[in-house]
Amino acid sequence: MFHCPVPIGREMNVICRIILAALASLLVLIQANGSSYASDGLAALTFQVAGDELRTRVVINFDSEPDISTMLLEHPHRLVVDLPKTVFAFDRKSVEPHGLVDDVRYGMLDAERARLIFSLKGPFSVERIDVIKNDSSPGYRLVADLVASSDRQFAEDLKTQNATTSSTESTSKGDRIAGATPDQTSNAPKPFTVVIDPGHGGIDSGAESASGIMEKNVTLMFAQQLREELAKIPGLRIEMTRNDDTFLRLTERVRIARQYEADLFISLHADTINRGNIRGATVYTVSDKASDAESRAMADRENRADAVAGIAFDNETPEIADILMDLTRRETHNFSLSFAKSVVSSLKKDVNMINNPHRFAGFQVLRAPDVPSVLVEIGYLSNAEDEKLMLDPAWRTHVATRLATAVAEFSSLKTAGALN
Ligand SMILES: [Zn+2]
């Protein structure tokens, strides 16, 4: 979020923050020729954004208490914050796309009203938006926590808003949401949804074989084959996190799974492993404790995918506070384990697998609390025989068929409620 220009402790950081906020206020006053903002509207002094594609916090500091109203817009997914007359005095450079926030616009609507518009990467919900009086510095801050949600949830939120805002005076001047929301929230049962995640992509090419074959291409080829096989199963909805050579952050992959309310998330990989004699398919599920040293090393490397692409790790991501999350996670985890079991029993019939083919480690990409997730290494690019197989379309088709069988089995058990 905020970083003081010198490396200092937490308390000093706070003091530094206060001094900077005071300087910003002073600057605003100077720019305004000494006139007071009490009579000339609000001043927005600083803008901060932190978090990732799953959870983003925006904090805006004001010189006095802002009276806000908000609304949601779609196409693209947007959050509008209406303010009284406001001078936007924060540094333009602090308003950068970050986490869920793709774009921020702000300015005066007319002589009396100002507006901030946040465009987001996908459906979201406003978990919290508060105006809080600062304790240690003058003024107030607006704190908004935006959380990635599903298409269905967003459509519902829009619907609720449209039903309640039609009588609200704050939207009386023609800025009401245009048109009604198409009815995406009909009560038809949601199809069993599988999100296929071809590992790596774009600037992050993943592992590379001795002959120069790149993991990102192997995973995409296999993912496309798997999609074809899954399409043969009636009643399935299949989505991909990427269908070309683009880079995606790990949290963006998880966000996409949640956007579609996936019943199953399958991340596909073809890594290298230090010992060239290790080969065969492996199915990983998430765990804080790794099953073995190799799995731990594998997860560590996968988790560095964002860093490989030059994206700094944001360690100020707001914590998930929901205690219900733990319960969801436990149920989700059981589903992940049972799918992993199905995959192993389907593949081991005639696909070469590693010893102990179900392993676990702390993969970030498998951490959606509500989406059963597995990571499948279809083989290892460090092994010449595996490499040869993975480049063979007939082999890929065969393995994809076996995986699809496991998906069919899992989806029928889960739909029948036979997995709890
Ligand atoms: Zn990989």
Side-chain angles (χ1 to χ4, degrees), residues 65-76:
E65 187 173 4
D67 181 17
I68 62 161
S69 63
T70 62
M71 70 175 162
L72 306 176
L73 294 175
E74 56 182 342
H75 312 302

Side-chain angles (χ1 to χ4, degrees), residues 189-408:
K190 187 178 79 69
F192 188 93
T193 305
V194 183
V195 171
I196 308 173
D197 174 46
H200 311 280
I203 189 168
D204 166 27
S205 48
E208 200 174 321
S209 75
S211 67
I213 299 296
M214 287 188 279
E215 183 183 1
K216 65 172 182 177
N217 298 328
V218 175
T219 60
L220 183 58
M221 283 190 293
F222 185 78
Q224 286 162 338
Q225 191 59 46
L226 178 59
R227 182 182 52 189
E228 233 168 87
E229 298 308 323
L230 289 175
K232 295 174 186 164
I233 304 170
L236 279 196
R237 174 187 178 197
I238 307 131
E239 301 284 351
M240 311 257 286
T241 54
R242 68 175 178 101
N243 199 18
D244 54 20
D245 187 20
T246 45
F247 171 75
L248 291 178
R249 283 186 66 160
L250 295 172
T251 42
E252 175 65 1
R253 297 170 194 267
V254 179
R255 190 196 67 72
I256 293 170
R258 300 193 70 198
Q259 167 165 7
Y260 296 125
E261 292 181 272
D263 295 286
L264 195 51
F265 175 82
I266 306 174
S267 191
L268 297 166
H269 288 261
D271 278 275
T272 51
I273 207 159
N274 283 338
R275 285 148 55 196
N277 58 339
I278 291 189
R279 58 171 302 205
T282 317
V283 185
Y284 290 96
T285 49
V286 75
S287 169
D288 288 329
K289 256 185 106 183
S291 53
D292 53 286
E294 274 130 19
S295 302
R296 188 180 314 119
M298 193 68 72
D300 285 348
R301 211 178 40 212
E302 291 302 343
N303 294 345
R304 282 199 299 271
D306 290 350
V308 165
I311 290 170
F313 178 62
D314 189 340
N315 58 3
E316 291 195 54
T317 302
E319 282 299 315
I320 295 172
D322 194 351
I323 46 167
L324 284 176
M325 208 62 111
D326 248 13
L327 290 171
T328 323
R329 203 169 268 152
R330 211 169 305 155
E331 189 195 51
T332 305
H333 192 60
N334 287 339
F335 286 141
S336 306
L337 294 179
S338 105
F339 178 64
K341 226 179 267 168
S342 295
V343 173
V344 170
S345 76
S346 179
L347 290 188
K348 75 174 178 204
K349 288 177 188 144
D350 51 13
V351 176
N352 194 12
M353 301 198 84
I354 201 170
N355 288 340
N356 309 319
H358 175 197
R359 301 187 176 205
F360 40 91
F363 293 95
Q364 291 298 334
V365 78
L366 303 181
R367 285 193 182 272
D370 43 5
V371 181
S373 306
V374 302
L375 185 148
V376 180
E377 297 278 353
I378 56 170
Y380 293 93
L381 280 174
S382 38
N383 181 280
E385 281 153 280
D386 268 8
E387 178 187 6
K388 211 170 104 195
L389 287 176
M390 290 190 284
L391 294 178
D392 174 7
W395 181 87
R396 288 199 303 267
T397 306
H398 177 71
V399 178
T401 315
R402 284 271 175 251
L403 254 180
T405 306
V407 172

